[in-house]
Structure formats: structure tokens, C-alpha cells
Amino acid sequence: MEQVTTRFVTFEEELRLESGRLLAPVTLAYETYGRLNAVASNAILVAHAWTGDAHAAGRYSPQDRKGGWWDDMIGPGKVLDTERFFVICSNVIGSCKGSTGPTSLNPQTGRPYRLSFPIVMVRDMVRAQQRLIDHLGIGRLLAVIGGSMGAMQALEWGIHFPERVGAIIPIAGTGRTSPMAIALNALARQAIYNDPLWKKGNYKPEHPPASGFALARAVGHISFLSEQSMQMKFGRRFSARDGLFDFFGQFEIERYLEYNGNSFVERFDPNAFLYLAKALDLYDVAWNFSSPDEALERLNCPSLWFAFSSDWLYRPEETEAVVAILARQNKPVDYHCIASDYGHDSFLVEPEKFTPYVVRFLDEQARQAGC
């Protein structure tokens, strides 16, 4: 993959959010890979997960040791083949990775929004993305694909912009966030709230509520794993550097969660984390519809769904409930439950288990679109 650059576009027109609040201006950070064909029929939108960003593939410089978060999937000859497709990934609103969020300056005050930033829902993220797609001169996307929160975005695209989407591929998603997932996010929130440095969101960027935020990330990270993956990677091994009867001695799984949490503090903003967690908690495909059936009736394009056997955050049964409604409505839907021991992170850890289905599906969509 050649070197890539993150670009930014700002829309001055107000964006009306589901809450009724108006947000303006709205900046989106985005990256593109490959080339848009002459009739703009080969565009695929990649939607990122909770704490992801627009840097889905490629490297910023030859010195970069690591590519984008889905670098194995995007590029010449890869699953999202940039010799055939024009791939777009944008950072969602509410984030801290270049798009408008709680760390952005409020034009009315000249200071960061912090907790004055409005609550955003996944549907709001998609409406902002729709402006980006217009800006890029694309009338209809060949497909929208994403995992976790990205799967929610893909589904919202299919329901709310049916004329703009040729197909959707939701991976490890859900039709509505479960009470258990909300409860885990509630624990993460309390970890941040209880850190005295949080100061009700008014912390200094150079002095974030690091301890509480690291703990919040650890809570979330546990939900991305599975019992099987933790057993395989860590088992009951005790840290070699600690004494077994040292009161503060740690198992390897403890040390891993501590490291993961502390490193996360250095690359993400606590308020943005809280806003995106709220968007996840509020997600319900039936929002402002009388039922999930009514919402899904609007989905007319083919959809390819994946769940993972060991995912206990968004369980396979949750995906299957949505697929069952679509099948009952005689919608063009395909579903695969992939056997994997890596929990919710399976879509990132073992993509080879589901990508052959994606390649065949996109081949068919491209053939029908003539690209």
C-alpha cells in the first residue's frame, strides 16, 4: 500500500441530531484508498469501531512500522482490492481523531466543547458521513462494511439511505445494545467519573484522569476477549517478576490489562470515549420506528452478516434476531456464524475465517454494478 494522508473536510451547514440539537460546523477526518472510477460506481465505505479512526490502511511514511487498523483487508489484491474499489474510511463525529467531538473548539465560546458537546447517536454519525459521500461526488456506494460499531453504521446506512447503498456487510454487530453491554459501559463510566482528575469533564489535556480511564479501558477490553482466548494467551500464569505471595503481585492477565489500559490513555481522549460509549448504549435499530420489523422493512439491499461463536459482547443470537426478521420479510440476506475463540475481537484477529465470503459477495455486487 502506498503512503496515505488523512484529509479533512468541514461543513458549515448545521447538522440536526437525533436529540434535536444542531451541530455546526462539522469537520470529518477521512482517508481514501484506490481510485474512484469514471461513473463513481466502485466506492466502498469502511466504518470503524468504537475507538477506531480514519486510518484504516496504509502508512503515513516509509518509517511507519504499523499500517492502518484494517491494513490486512485493504490494498491491492486484498479483500477490499484497491485496484478495483475506491475505499473510504471516515472518523465518526464524537471522536477525538480529527472529526468534530468534545475536544473540538465550540465556535460560540472559543473553548473546547467538553461536556457541552451534544449527545450523538450512530444515526447522527451516518448522516455526517452522508455529507462526506456527497462531497466526494458519489451518488451510490457499492457497499458499506464495518465491525462492531461499524456494523451498526452499516445497518443505519442501509435503512436510512436505501437509495444510496448497494449492499451492507455488518460484522460482529447487533440490532440493539443489550443490558449486559450497557452495564459494562456503566462500570467504565464510573471508573472515569470517580477519578478526581476528571473534574466533570473539565480536565486539562496534559493531566487527564489517567487512572480511571485506564481502568475503564480494561473493563471494555475484557468484553472484547473471551474465556477461551484468555486461557490460551495467559492461563493462570503468574508474572515472573512478582513473588507469588507478594500482595501486589499480578497474574499475567492482570499485567496485560494494566499495560493495555495505560497505553490507551496516551492515544485517546476520556470525554470522547464517554460520548462514543453513550452512542453505543443508545443504539437501537428501532429508534423512532414502531418496531425492529418496521425499521428493517426499509432495508432493500443485499446484506451479508457475520457473528462469532465466542463473542459475548454482541452475541450471535443478537445478529440472528435481525437476520431472522430480514428472512421473514424475504429480504436478500446471508448469515454466517464463524467459529472462533477470540471473542468480539475475532473480526480483527482472524479475518481469514470470514473474508472468502466477503470476496464472493463483493464480486457479485461489483458484477451487478458493472464495475
Side-chain angles (χ1 to χ4, degrees):
M1 170 66 72
E2 61 186 30
Q3 286 181 224
V4 298
T5 301
T6 302
R7 287 177 278 180
F8 304 87
V9 59
T10 298
F11 304 101
E12 298 296 337
E13 181 184 356
E14 292 175 331
L15 178 68
R16 182 174 291 277
L17 305 174
E18 286 294 311
S19 65
R21 296 274 301 274
L22 298 175
L23 182 63
V26 174
T27 296
L28 290 182
Y30 71 99
E31 293 185 10
T32 64
Y33 320 96
R35 292 188 177 183
L36 190 63
N37 64 19
V39 292
S41 64
N42 67 333
I44 295 175
L45 177 65
V46 171
H48 69 72
W50 184 356
T51 57
D53 55 30
H55 186 44
R59 288 166 171 77
Y60 293 133
S61 74
Q63 289 72 42
D64 282 356
R65 297 174 59 187
K66 188 176 181 181
W69 56 268
W70 232 10
D71 197 55
D72 290 342
M73 289 277 288
I74 302 169
K78 297 181 182 180
V79 177
L80 303 183
D81 186 354
T82 52
E83 294 178 341
R84 300 176 61 195
F85 304 125
F86 179 64
V87 181
I88 309 148
C89 183
S90 74
N91 184 223
V92 299
I93 57 172
S95 182
C96 57
K97 293 295 185 176
S99 295
T100 299
T103 62
S104 304
L105 291 182
N106 182 340
Q108 296 180 358
T109 66
R111 298 190 297 272
Y113 279 103
R114 297 192 175 96
L115 297 195
S116 69
F117 192 73
I119 295 295
V120 296
M121 298 181 71
V122 173
R123 196 167 299 174
D124 298 319
M125 300 172 186
V126 168
R127 288 198 178 105
Q129 289 168 350
Q130 183 255 335
R131 292 187 177 184
L132 172 63
I133 299 307
D134 287 345
H135 169 75
L136 294 173
I138 299 166
R140 181 178 171 87
L141 291 162
L142 180 68
V144 182
I145 180 172
S148 193
M149 190 178 80
M152 300 173 185
Q153 294 170 67
L155 181 54
E156 292 292 298
W157 262 100
I159 290 173
H160 294 280
F161 297 99
E163 73 287 353
R164 305 289 302 271
V165 183
I168 63 170
I169 308 176
I171 306 169
T174 181
R176 61 172 45 155
T177 304
S178 70
M180 187 203 71
I182 295 170
L184 290 170
N185 283 347
L187 291 177
R189 271 190 287 276
Q190 289 301 321
I192 295 173
Y193 295 165
N194 290 337
D195 189 315
L197 291 181
W198 185 60
K199 299 178 180 178
K200 295 186 177 180
N202 294 309
Y203 51 86
K204 295 181 179 179
E206 62 271 25
H207 297 297
S211 295
F213 192 22
L215 178 56
R217 176 61 174 180
V219 170
H221 196 69
I222 290 170
S223 70
F224 305 154
L225 305 176
S226 71
E227 183 176 358
Q228 299 99 308
S229 65
M230 285 190 274
Q231 182 65 43
M232 287 187 296
K233 189 170 183 177
F234 305 104
R236 286 180 47 83
R237 292 192 304 278
F238 206 77
S239 174
R241 71 182 70 178
D242 297 334
L244 184 62
F245 297 105
D246 178 351
F247 185 79
F248 293 101
Q250 294 180 310
F251 286 92
E252 287 292 351
I253 182 61
E254 292 179 275
R255 189 171 292 281
Y256 169 77
L257 291 173
E258 184 179 90
Y259 168 80
N260 184 274
N262 289 334
S263 62
F264 184 71
V265 169
E266 299 173 1
R267 62 183 177 86
F268 214 81
D269 175 71
N271 282 345
F273 180 89
L274 291 168
Y275 270 87
L276 297 180
K278 178 65 72 174
L280 289 168
D281 289 351
L282 291 174
Y283 186 67
D284 184 347
V285 70
W287 173 260
N288 277 345
F289 292 98
S290 63
S291 66
D293 295 67
E294 183 187 11
L296 293 167
E297 185 63 48
R298 294 174 53 88
L299 182 68
N300 295 318
C301 67
S303 57
L304 174 63
W305 297 75
F306 296 99
F308 298 90
S309 59
S310 58
D311 186 349
W312 61 282
L313 180 61
Y314 299 143
R315 295 172 293 112
E317 301 96 288
E318 297 176 38
T319 298
E320 289 159 9
V322 177
V323 169
I325 294 173
L326 292 172
R328 191 165 63 244
Q329 294 176 343
N330 294 315
K331 305 287 186 177
V333 59
D334 192 14
Y335 165 68
H336 301 274
C337 183
I338 305 299
S340 175
D341 290 333
Y342 290 96
H344 188 62
D345 271 351
S346 295
F347 78 97
L348 296 171
V349 178
E350 293 189 310
E352 69 279 1
K353 288 192 172 182
F354 68 88
T355 48
Y357 300 107
V358 175
V359 171
R360 288 196 292 270
F361 183 76
L362 288 177
D363 280 345
E364 176 60 21
Q365 303 314 308
R367 184 188 65 77
Q368 293 186 18
C371 63

